[in-house]
Amino acid sequence: MGATNVSFDFTGQVVIVTGAGKGIGRRTALAFAAAGASVALAGRHADTLDATAAEAAKYGRPALGGPTDVQSVAAIEALVERTVTTLGPLDVLVNNAGVNRTGPSLEVDEKTWDWIIDTNVKGMFFACRAAARHMIPRRSGKIVNIGSIIGNIGLGWNVPYASSKGAVLQMTRSLALEWAKFGINVNGIGPGYVLTDQVRWLFEQEDLKARVLAKAPSGAIGTEDDIAATALYLASDAASHINGAMIYVDGAAAAGWMGPE
């Protein structure tokens, strides 16, 4: 068998990343920019999006930022249309936008449920649909949905969030089946705990930190770079025959339970 040419060069490609103002989304957007892509950044806050866009532009490719409420179908469709009009045909969509709120199920109100499901499930689906409408005529496209290990193992005090991430898993599989014939790959990434600003507080409390690390077989947690690198891989030609998969980037945390040594 001859050598395989694998490249993570995205020069000339157009990539949309939602939830790109900070955390995993920001790092993923910058990784695509560093690999040569033109990036469109969506999120809730103009200031953080502008900061990410300015940093992405340092790599020499166009970077477009704009506040987008992913709970609004009209806003999602406007984002995709603006991206295609300004940057060119869409090659990659990374659905990273997501929210969470913890608490006992008996205290979950309708507003909280709708906020989580409309962001994490509804927003993701309609972003996939808007992207696919541009990808299908070109018979090419990569969609990467950011899920969670919680979509696979369940989590008390997080039932709305766990439900949403379970939906992400099935949405990813089902869309892959439906759109494979159009040359579109739909895959997901299931992060475990990742050290972002959102969870940094947890690791500043020794008791909570110890509980999390006790469930990490490697004794370590992931980084934003781990997720960004996986997104680049799934969007590359190296993953052309991977479709409908959820890649768990969690240091084996969701693989099962360790027995006594």
Side-chain angles (χ1 to χ4, degrees):
M1 181 179 291
T4 299
N5 294 320
V6 176
S7 172
F8 296 126
D9 182 0
F10 289 86
T11 300
Q13 295 197 34
V14 174
V15 179
I16 292 176
V17 181
T18 69
K22 56 186 179 180
I24 290 171
R26 172 184 171 277
R27 190 68 198 92
T28 299
L30 294 178
F32 275 105
S38 300
V39 293
L41 317 173
R44 290 176 289 174
H45 305 292
D47 55 344
T48 56
L49 287 174
D50 289 345
T52 304
E55 194 168 352
K58 294 178 182 178
Y59 292 104
R61 298 294 302 163
L64 173 69
T68 303
D69 179 4
V70 298
Q71 297 185 44
S72 165
V73 177
I76 292 169
E77 292 178 344
L79 163 69
V80 174
E81 292 300 326
R82 184 169 67 252
T83 299
V84 172
T85 299
T86 306
L87 301 179
L90 179 62
D91 297 288
V92 180
L93 166 67
V94 180
N95 273 311
N96 171 71
V99 295
N100 186 19
R101 183 172 295 155
T102 63
S105 294
L106 292 178
E107 297 178 10
V108 172
D109 56 29
E110 184 178 6
K111 183 178 180 180
T112 297
W113 177 270
D114 288 347
W115 176 60
I116 293 173
I117 298 300
D118 286 355
T119 302
N120 298 4
V121 183
K122 174 185 171 183
M124 181 177 289
F125 172 78
F126 284 102
C128 289
R129 190 186 74 166
R133 285 175 169 171
H134 286 272
M135 294 173 173
I136 286 172
R138 301 177 65 217
R139 315 293 289 191
S140 176
K142 300 291 181 69
I143 296 174
V144 180
N145 296 326
I146 305 299
S148 170
I149 62 170
I150 302 308
N152 191 49
I153 62 175
L155 183 65
W157 277 54
N158 270 265
V159 170
Y161 178 77
S163 299
S164 75
K165 293 304 181 178
V168 169
L169 173 61
Q170 294 301 337
M171 184 191 309
T172 298
R173 289 170 169 169
S174 300
L175 291 178
L177 289 169
E178 190 170 340
W179 294 341
K181 64 184 179 183
F182 300 118
I184 298 174
N185 293 63
V186 186
N187 290 298
I189 301 174
Y193 275 105
V194 176
L195 190 58
T196 66
D197 290 339
Q198 279 187 311
V199 301
R200 198 173 301 276
W201 64 271
L202 188 153
F203 291 91
E204 294 172 352
Q205 302 182 51
E206 289 303 320
D207 58 334
L208 295 178
K209 177 181 178 181
R211 286 172 58 186
V212 171
L213 293 180
K215 295 182 179 180
S218 65
I221 64 166
T223 69
E224 295 169 359
D225 284 335
D226 292 327
I227 310 306
T230 308
L232 260 66
Y233 168 67
L234 289 174
S236 75
D237 290 340
S240 62
H241 201 54
I242 298 176
N243 208 356
M246 181 68 68
I247 307 298
Y248 293 102
V249 184
D250 63 354
W257 292 98
M258 271 292 294
E261 296 182 338

